[in-house]
Amino acid sequence: MSSLKSFADLSTLGQQLKKEQETRARVEAERLAQEKKAKAEANIFRNSIGDVAPLKTDSKHLHAPAKPAPIPFQHLADEQAALQESLSDEFDPASLLETDENLSYARPGIGADVTSKLRKGHWVIQAHLDLHGLRRDQARDSLGEFLRKSVKNGIRCVRIIHGKGLGSVNKEPVLKQKVRNWLIQKEEVLAFSQATAADGGSGALIVLLKSCSTI
């Protein structure tokens, strides 16, 4: 204070002290405002989520993995043994044709020996018709014309190939049942039977026709 020389110097010092005090007050006020704002924002978050309770971890339950079902080895072995016993080298596939009416047909009045002879190749196959690749209408018309010409020419035993359906969409013989139904409706047909393996098996029929003199 010894350096103050006049009242003017004292007045200047007072003004400086006042400015410093105002500055400190403004800084303090800004700090308090920032703290108040931060508290307000924190309260907004807490109020929005509400009360929070910690998760309980003392009641955990661990699920044991499911055990695979036991494999019935003995049951499978028994089934395999039964299957082997049911298969015989002495089995004659022709015996099925004797009992399955879907594999053979004889017009009323025709003895069972006729279909049996057909299956055994008693009659020589004199002509055949292949219906592979034909549509239903085409196959029906072709079959009717073939039968008429065969009877007219004195042919008694023919083979009709309808196919096994290996090239069809569902791997099923499309014409197989239709050909059977058409043959049954033809008066010139006496009997028919599924062909032997050498003549086409399930993909063909051997048909016995009436003689021209009896029509």
Side-chain angles (χ1 to χ4, degrees):
M1 298 299 296
S2 59
S3 61
L4 297 177
K5 298 180 179 180
S6 64
F7 180 78
D9 293 334
L10 181 61
S11 177
T12 300
L13 180 59
Q15 292 177 358
Q16 291 178 349
L17 292 174
K18 184 177 180 180
K19 289 181 179 179
E20 291 177 357
Q21 185 177 8
E22 290 175 350
T23 300
R24 286 195 296 271
R26 184 172 61 256
V27 171
E28 182 65 16
E30 291 177 355
R31 185 183 66 80
L32 294 175
Q34 291 292 336
E35 290 182 356
K36 184 177 181 180
K37 181 178 179 181
K39 290 180 179 180
E41 291 177 351
N43 289 333
I44 290 174
F45 175 74
R46 293 190 185 95
N47 292 335
S48 63
I49 63 173
D51 296 333
V52 178
L55 295 174
K56 295 181 179 180
T57 58
D58 56 348
S59 60
K60 289 183 178 179
H61 179 69
L62 299 178
H63 294 276
K67 295 181 179 180
I71 300 175
F73 289 105
Q74 186 58 48
H75 178 69
L76 295 176
D78 292 342
E79 286 190 346
Q80 182 65 24
L83 177 61
Q84 291 176 349
E85 291 176 0
S86 67
L87 300 178
S88 172
D89 292 335
E90 303 301 323
F91 174 71
D92 181 7
S95 63
L96 289 178
L97 301 178
E98 300 285 353
T99 57
D100 191 342
E101 60 181 9
N102 292 323
L103 300 179
S104 61
Y105 164 82
R107 188 170 295 280
I110 302 299
D113 61 319
V114 174
T115 53
S116 177
K117 289 180 178 179
L118 273 177
R119 290 191 291 269
K120 295 176 180 178
H122 178 78
W123 288 280
V124 177
I125 298 174
Q126 299 169 287
H128 72 269
L129 173 66
D130 191 346
L131 300 176
H132 275 114
L134 298 183
R135 303 182 65 169
R136 182 184 63 181
D137 294 342
Q138 294 174 328
R140 184 181 62 242
D141 294 343
S142 296
L143 178 62
E145 181 65 20
F146 173 75
L147 295 177
R148 285 191 295 271
K149 287 184 177 180
S150 296
V151 171
K152 183 178 179 180
N153 294 328
I155 294 175
R156 297 294 310 280
C157 185
V158 298
R159 178 176 58 167
I160 308 298
I161 304 171
H162 51 66
K164 298 181 180 180
L166 300 180
S168 63
V169 177
N170 297 323
K171 302 298 181 182
E172 296 180 354
V174 178
L175 294 176
K176 184 174 183 178
Q177 189 58 45
K178 294 186 182 298
V179 168
R180 282 169 162 75
N181 293 339
W182 294 334
L183 289 174
I184 291 173
Q185 300 174 56
K186 294 294 183 179
E187 293 184 1
E188 54 264 51
V189 173
L190 293 178
F192 61 77
S193 175
Q194 178 174 298
T196 63
D199 290 323
S202 61
L205 295 172
I206 307 301
V207 183
L208 182 66
L209 303 176
K210 290 181 178 182
S211 63
C212 184
S213 61
T214 60
I215 296 181

Coordinates of all heavy atoms in Angstrom, one line a residue, residues 30 120 162 172 183-184:
E30 N -21.8 -19.8 -13.2 CA -21.8 -20.7 -14.3 C -21.6 -22.2 -13.9 O -22.2 -23.1 -14.4 CB -20.8 -20.3 -15.3 CG -21.1 -19.0 -16.1 CD -20.0 -18.6 -17.0 OE1 -19.0 -19.2 -17.0 OE2 -20.2 -17.6 -17.7
K120 N -47.4 -119.5 -69.4 CA -46.3 -120.4 -69.6 C -45.9 -120.4 -71.1 O -45.0 -121.2 -71.5 CB -46.8 -121.8 -69.2 CG -47.1 -122.0 -67.8 CD -47.7 -123.4 -67.4 CE -48.0 -123.5 -65.9 NZ -48.6 -124.8 -65.6
H162 N -47.1 -101.7 -72.6 CA -47.6 -100.4 -72.0 C -46.5 -99.7 -71.2 O -46.7 -98.5 -70.9 CB -48.8 -100.7 -71.2 CG -48.7 -101.7 -70.1 ND1 -47.8 -101.6 -69.1 CD2 -49.3 -102.9 -70.0 CE1 -47.9 -102.7 -68.3 NE2 -48.8 -103.5 -68.9
E172 N -44.5 -94.0 -62.4 CA -45.6 -94.9 -62.4 C -46.1 -95.2 -63.8 O -46.1 -94.3 -64.6 CB -46.8 -94.4 -61.6 CG -46.5 -94.2 -60.1 CD -47.6 -93.6 -59.3 OE1 -48.6 -93.3 -60.0 OE2 -47.5 -93.5 -58.1
L183 N -58.8 -103.6 -72.7 CA -58.8 -104.9 -73.2 C -60.1 -105.7 -72.7 O -60.7 -106.5 -73.5 CB -57.6 -105.7 -72.8 CG -56.3 -105.2 -73.5 CD1 -55.1 -106.0 -72.8 CD2 -56.3 -105.5 -75.0
I184 N -60.5 -105.4 -71.5 CA -61.6 -106.1 -70.9 C -62.9 -105.8 -71.7 O -63.8 -106.6 -71.9 CB -61.8 -105.8 -69.4 CG1 -60.7 -106.4 -68.6 CG2 -63.1 -106.2 -68.9 CD1 -60.6 -106.0 -67.2

